[in-house]
Amino acid sequence: MKPDNVKLRKKLHDYLDHVDPDFLLVLNAMIEEHLCNQGNEIVLSDEDMQEIERRKAAMLSGEDKGVDAWELSKQIRNDLRIN
């Protein structure tokens, strides 16, 4: 459930009035980055698109069954040797 925008804005405004100045700088940098990236589309190379199409075809044909998020998480932990 999305929070009420008016309540959320008030909560954030109250927080910003008392936040640590260093955190305020970080937050401002995040906002500036977000604003700079708005409207920018991700451009993929022809090679990237071919790879996406190849993987899509493998999934649709059943050749590649894929993995769910839990299995992927286990694989990453094993690869990183984090238990």
Side-chain angles (χ1 to χ4, degrees):
M1 183 169 137
K2 283 187 169 182
D4 176 48
N5 280 341
V6 173
K7 289 180 184 177
L8 181 58
R9 287 173 192 267
K10 172 138 180 44
K11 180 179 178 180
L12 289 173
H13 190 278
D14 290 345
Y15 178 73
L16 291 175
D17 286 341
H18 302 95
V19 72
D20 175 62
D22 291 334
F23 183 75
L24 196 56
L25 290 172
V26 171
L27 186 57
N28 184 63
M30 290 171 51
I31 291 169
E32 291 293 325
E33 181 72 18
H34 173 75
L35 293 174
C36 287
N37 288 330
Q38 281 186 333
N40 293 343
E41 62 183 62
I42 297 173
V43 178
L44 298 175
S45 68
D46 289 340
E47 184 179 308
D48 292 335
M49 289 302 298
Q50 289 172 357
E51 179 64 16
I52 290 170
E53 290 300 322
R54 184 191 68 73
R55 291 181 184 192
K56 178 181 172 185
M59 291 291 291
L60 292 173
S61 71
E63 176 186 338
D64 185 346
K65 302 263 191 269
V67 294
D68 61 29
W70 178 251
E71 184 61 32
L72 181 60
S73 175
K74 286 185 351 187
Q75 288 177 8
I76 292 170
R77 280 196 307 272
N78 286 338
D79 289 348
L80 296 174
R81 291 179 177 47
I82 297 173
N83 295 316

